[in-house]
Amino acid sequence: MSGRELSYLQAFNEAMHQLMAEDDDVFVAGEDVAGKGGVFGSFVGLLDEFGERRMIDTPISEQAIVGLGIGAAVAGLRPVVDLMFMDFVLVSMDQIANQAAKLKYMFGGNASLPMTITTNGGAGLSAAAQHSQSLEAMLCHVPGLKVVMPATPYDCKGLMAASVREDNPVIFVKHKRMFGVKGEVPEELYEVPLGQAAITREGSDVTVIAYSRMASEALAAAATLADEGVDCEVIDLRTVQPLDIETIVASARKTNRIVVVHEAVRFGGLGAEIAAQIQEHAFDHLDAPVARVGAPFSPIPFSPALETAYVPSAERIAAEIRATMHRPAPGVTV
Amino acid sequence: MSGRELSYLQAFNEAMHQLMAEDDDVFVAGEDVAGKGGVFGSFVGLLDEFGERRMIDTPISEQAIVGLGIGAAVAGLRPVVDLMFMDFVLVSMDQIANQAAKLKYMFGGNASLPMTITTNGGAGLSAAAQHSQSLEAMLCHVPGLKVVMPATPYDCKGLMAASVREDNPVIFVKHKRMFGVKGEVPEELYEVPLGQAAITREGSDVTVIAYSRMASEALAAAATLADEGVDCEVIDLRTVQPLDIETIVASARKTNRIVVVHEAVRFGGLGAEIAAQIQEHAFDHLDAPVARVGAPFSPIPFSPALETAYVPSAERIAAEIRATMHRPAPGVTV
Amino acid sequence: MPLDPEIVKDLHRRMVRIRFFEEAAGRLFEANKMPGFIHLYVGQEAVAAGVSVALRDEDQISSTHRGHGHLVAKGGDLNKMMAELMGKATGYCNGKGGSMHICDLELNMLGANGIVGGGVPIAVGAGFANKYSGNETVSVVFFGDGSTNIGAFHEAANMAAALKLPVLFVCENNGYAEYTPREQSMAIKDVAERAGAYGMPSKIVDGMDAMAVFEATESALVSVRAGEGPYFLECKTYRYYNHHGIQNLGLSYRTDEEVEEWKGRDAIDAIEARMVADGVASEAEVEANRASIQAEVDEAIDFADSSPMPDPADLLDNVYSDAVSSDAVSSDAVNSEVRS
Amino acid sequence: MPLDPEIVKDLHRRMVRIRFFEEAAGRLFEANKMPGFIHLYVGQEAVAAGVSVALRDEDQISSTHRGHGHLVAKGGDLNKMMAELMGKATGYCNGKGGSMHICDLELNMLGANGIVGGGVPIAVGAGFANKYSGNETVSVVFFGDGSTNIGAFHEAANMAAALKLPVLFVCENNGYAEYTPREQSMAIKDVAERAGAYGMPSKIVDGMDAMAVFEATESALVSVRAGEGPYFLECKTYRYYNHHGIQNLGLSYRTDEEVEEWKGRDAIDAIEARMVADGVASEAEVEANRASIQAEVDEAIDFADSSPMPDPADLLDNVYSDAVSSDAVSSDAVNSEVRS
Ligand SMILES: Cc1ncc(C[n+]2csc(CCOP(=O)(O)OP(=O)(O)O)c2C)c(N)n1
Ligand SMILES: Cc1ncc(C[n+]2csc(CCOP(=O)(O)OP(=O)(O)O)c2C)c(N)n1
Ligand SMILES: [Mg+2]
Ligand SMILES: [Mg+2]
């Protein structure tokens, strides 16, 4: 099947078709998921194939949508519940973080929550402050949740399969600006296991750690740096919770210089956790501080002129890589 | 007025009395704040002094409580709105993080939001997973909010004065287990400015950075370590957003060894941001990785036997300080 | 038509079981043997008992912060309950949940909840699963008058109605939310008026009369099981103790007379009087039943008392269903492995 | 009693101003000159106009994602509006907000909102401030039929009723939430049935008739201003375009016939016909008014077109009211200062 190309969105959609076909316990509930097939078309065709019993258009009720998923999961189904925009996790945060995340633990293990929450994150569409956020750091701070953020069509399909088959609550975040990105995708259903990062470019000088759309920006920056004689290793985390810290630390020990990149606000973003862990686990290996690229400390502006300046880009990543490379190794005085 | 002692709770309550007396625009709305004086007694006596116009018992509606504060603030008042438990910020997260935090920015500056959200955080009362959380990392990741977490009666009063007089949305988090803690508190109203950490113990060997209840645990650990010949500097952050990074970095450059402590879950907690920034700003000064003490990766258990193991303590902090001290400085091979 | 004597006895038994369990829990709390918060169900027994006698085993129930009564009524194991409240390893949640998170999924009791209104969407989800599976099972959700002011309740009620789900909404209107009288937080006379906002049929019933609650539940369940969508039952009731803890009289937000008046209509007293009057049971039989339940409660106390505390080594169990992932995300666990 | 001709003319003027502004915005969107999302108000003009003519300047209004019409009706500056929609520095929010966050606090328009239902609690807060200040000002909140399904709406409505706040709830029931028909997401006939859940008086009015909306608003405001608490007005209306963007016919979730039927009841056509018939204005006068509004809109396009984009150097302005703190929290800003 090599060479078969699908878009990121098609890959997701194909995963949904196959997952629903293999397991009658899988259903989808959310706003405009059935008739419309999702705001961005993620669920197109599923109503025709699986009918109204399994494709449910709900009222605008993000708390009840997530709660529906929790209750149905506890009762034995395998729900996929959709929040149109990642910003809306803030509307249903109680159900996500106080209920779904904690239920199994609070109940002493006597519950299983095979629920996947799908949503669309990221900026770049001039959708302004309430429709563009990357809020994964909040979710990763809540024990009990898993958080998946695919960066390629291949992963979008394979990670979705793993998420839906997983017995824990998973938040699966597509990136709004990647729907049209194409890539090789096998026809049969396969899993990309949660918690395993991918080294998408091997290199020896510096490691760039990213996920979601920034994983491709990181590759673009690495290409630029290659022309400048800097050999970047690029890691695509794929799953941000669980975090594949082994892969990260191994690479840090190899290259000794690290740049962590995400679209989310830099302050308190996942990059902070990654930087903190790297210096914990590879302190003696670091030739420079772990650098972080993220959004500045402001809400997301509407105007393209401002949004472009706001969202991290290959150029900004490249600049940070250069700064990290130019930093003299410890002991070398300038 | 030296020598006058109040408890943490009395200090807060006195601040409220004085703030309401000085400014008729200040009012309090929340569940059981008026008749009962707050679940923990924070607002006792205010109904008698200021009447029902200014002390408002609301329905159980955390979203509408915060929204009430936002709207009243935009319309020119200076609201104090109360969420009984910090865990309930998750119920009203949309109003806090999508609305209050972003409103001024989205409106191009054409709004002012002098609102203070008061709440009670922290574990230690066997209140289990939904009544014990420390969620400040989520709030600090949202540009537009300020987050205050006092550790002493003196700060509880002075920071509350600064918070209420502040023109930005502030979340003021008392710690449930500190209400009875006594300390010197001047009678007149004074401000402790937001964003300024306090060095509560000067020392030269290692810096312990903490806030809220962990600030006193850190002092206790420092006392233990002093007996062991280790001279700890202790920083109480007081405000976690804005973060007083200058004080942190200056201390790091002095002692070269750092332990950051908080009660919140370690993964993705504020300690990660602090560690990341310290290694960014003081890389060449560090003799050991920035160490972090925080809660393990699980919801908060109910049973005292488990909760005691869960919540960071002076003992755990002391152990981490020792580990950090025993780490050989770079270049020294063992 | 008089009720089947077996049903009356069952109602009585469940109510006494709740009452004795709660009174014991209250005394242990007072004696500092019970950590955390405790919200006693005493006074409201007729609601949990009346509803649960009308249910089938497979029907789910979901509860609130005031959740002991519902679990006892559904047949909860008092040993495991008492042990959980004391934070013991032998408790329902191995001491991890406590009073506010007590549950028994085998009995289809989907849990108490510490977040007011938080359990309502989850109950609706269980109702969805019933409809999806095409069975006749009903999901019953208990909630207080105060909780109907919170958004999650509203969304869930509307969702149940819009999707026509088999959910029975049971509002326990005890007149207060913590220390605030109901009238102060809603400008309506009966909570049941809210059902109209969702197009849900509703009924108001005397929540101090277990037989009335039972009968109202039975008839509500007919339409719910028939697939006609959710139903709203408001039970007017009262909690004898303070919102939290064991104080009873002398509270600032309600009069002692009010408390006494409601106690004068005590559901257990009433049903016992009727049992004897109707010849369902003799006074001696009633007394014997009470004694045997008291023995069960006493045994539960002994069981809990003699049970061990949980082992801190189990602290991180059951965060996830797979041990692997919960280790992988624990940076502390990773620490030891990869620390250089 | 026929309406004052000045009021009729005012209603007409506001409606045409909305219509022309929105049509222009739609064309610019189609021509890719307008970034982001755009939710046009065309078809619903009678609601914004009818309500706002009844208001005093100091009354606040709060809006939704479909917010242009409300701001235009309240007297919004079309230059600043058009510039904002184009993301220009001269826009109402200096390009930082865009369509979904447009506002004019000087006109007491407290903002559009990107979160469905998110503005309702805020509007209630403004109503609280009015009552607190003891003035007669009213806070008016516009919201769609679909938004009444979300928790924030429910909490805010109940809060307003419980605290007896001067808030007018205006539901614009256009029959759809995005692509889902209203009937599918609530099991009631009229949204106004929800008012009963809060003990709020309510009225249903033809949202395609500006004069009817005006009169209903006027009479609702009497009780609201008198301190009798909130009031719920449901306006039955229709949006001519798709939920988002400028498609009109050929949509899968509604029939073209339905669209044409509603267009046959167009509020502007109707009021113009009546103005001429009643002798309020001649056809020529109506035409002249339209032309002058079109000129204002054209000028707004020019203004916006020729305005500069915001300067990225201003990206971090207005996160906080004090520049100091917003620097202090920006680790990037601190970077340069303390980097060793
Ligand atoms: C979201 C949320 N807000 C507030 C609380 C605190 N609280 C616990 S019980 C309660 C009152 C609930 O009243 P009601 O629903 O009538 O139940 P009752 O206690 O009367 O049984 C409140 C406010 C909470 N647990 N969760
Ligand atoms: C909390 C939230 N959920 C979902 C959305 C996506 N959304 C935007 S508008 C809309 C439909 C709103 O319907 P209605 O309230 O009837 O207003 P209308 O668009 O018809 O004017 C939806 C679902 C949102 N913006 N916010
Ligand atoms: Mg109650
Ligand atoms: Mg609508």
Side-chain angles (χ1 to χ4, degrees), chain B residues 24 26-27 53-54 61 63-64 67 71 95 99 105-108 110 144-146 168 241-242 245 253 277 281, chain D residues 92-94 97 101 103 105 110 113 118 121-122 125 128 132 155 315 317-318 320-322 325 329 331 334-335 338:
Chain B
D24 184 67
V26 177
F27 70 93
R53 173 170 164 270
R54 300 180 65 191
S61 305
Q63 296 188 70
Q95 289 292 319
Q99 311 292 343
Y105 187 83
M106 294 187 303
F107 288 3
N110 299 310
L145 302 176
K146 296 195 176 182
N168 298 296
Q241 188 67 287
I245 193 66
R253 290 182 183 181
Q277 287 206 38
H281 303 316
Chain D
Y92 262 118
C93 314
N94 311 134
H101 307 295
C103 68
L105 296 182
L110 305 187
N113 209 305
I122 299 173
F128 176 86
Y132 192 84
E155 294 191 5
L315 181 66
D317 288 355
N318 290 318
Y320 294 92
S321 64
D322 40 344
S325 11
V329 290
S331 46
V334 172
N335 264 356
V338 296

Side-chain angles (χ1 to χ4, degrees), chain A residues 24 26-27 53-54 61 63-64 67 71 95 99 105-108 110 144-146 168 241-242 245 253 277 281, chain C residues 92-94 97 101 103 105 110 113 118 121-122 125 128 132 155 315 317-318 320-322 325 329 331 334-335 338:
Chain A
D24 183 67
V26 177
F27 71 93
R53 172 171 164 271
R54 299 181 64 191
S61 306
Q63 297 189 69
Q95 289 292 318
Q99 311 292 342
Y105 188 82
M106 295 188 303
F107 288 4
N110 299 309
L145 302 175
K146 297 195 176 183
N168 298 296
Q241 188 69 284
I245 193 66
R253 291 182 181 179
Q277 288 206 38
H281 303 314
Chain C
Y92 261 118
C93 314
N94 311 135
H101 307 294
C103 68
L105 296 181
L110 305 187
N113 208 306
I122 300 173
F128 175 86
Y132 192 86
E155 294 190 5
L315 181 67
D317 287 357
N318 289 319
Y320 294 92
S321 65
D322 37 346
S325 11
V329 289
S331 46
V334 172
N335 265 355
V338 294

Side-chain angles (χ1 to χ4, degrees), chain D residues 280-315:
Chain D
V280 167
S282 68
E283 281 197 27
E285 280 167 333
V286 168
E287 204 37 63
N289 288 344
R290 294 173 65 104
S292 93
I293 290 168
Q294 187 59 55
E296 193 195 353
V297 170
D298 291 343
E299 195 207 291
I301 298 173
D302 288 344
F303 173 82
D305 247 335
S306 60
S307 287
M309 276 288 176
D311 184 344
D314 300 334
L315 181 66

Side-chain angles (χ1 to χ4, degrees), chain D residues 114-258:
Chain D
I115 301 295
V116 165
V120 191
I122 299 173
V124 168
F128 176 86
N130 299 335
K131 181 173 177 176
Y132 192 84
S133 310
N135 61 32
E136 276 201 329
T137 306
V138 168
S139 170
V140 178
V141 53
F142 294 96
F143 52 94
D145 49 301
S147 78
T148 68
N149 295 324
I150 207 159
F153 161 80
H154 172 77
E155 294 191 5
N158 183 59
M159 181 79 82
L163 304 182
K164 263 201 161 189
L165 303 180
V167 181
L168 177 64
F169 288 82
V170 181
C171 178
E172 302 191 63
N173 178 356
N174 61 12
Y176 295 89
E178 295 210 350
Y179 317 99
T180 302
R182 193 193 61 76
E183 300 76 42
Q184 211 176 304
S185 59
M186 52 181 87
I188 49 177
K189 213 178 116 271
D190 300 304
V191 182
E193 292 174 57
R194 303 217 144 152
Y198 316 110
M200 233 187 256
S202 67
K203 186 173 215 158
I204 298 172
V205 64
D206 179 359
M208 303 304 279
D209 180 342
M211 286 165 289
V213 173
F214 166 77
E215 286 176 332
T217 305
E218 272 229 311
S219 78
L221 286 173
V222 172
S223 78
V224 179
R225 281 203 213 285
E228 286 167 34
Y231 192 103
F232 190 104
L233 198 63
E234 174 179 0
C235 306
K236 308 268 195 196
T237 182
Y238 200 76
R239 59 168 159 73
Y240 293 174
Y241 291 109
N242 198 358
H243 166 64
H244 153 66
I246 45 86
Q247 204 180 337
N248 176 343
L249 300 176
L251 295 167
S252 63
Y253 61 95
R254 66 184 196 186
T255 64
D256 291 354
E257 293 70 48
E258 182 182 284

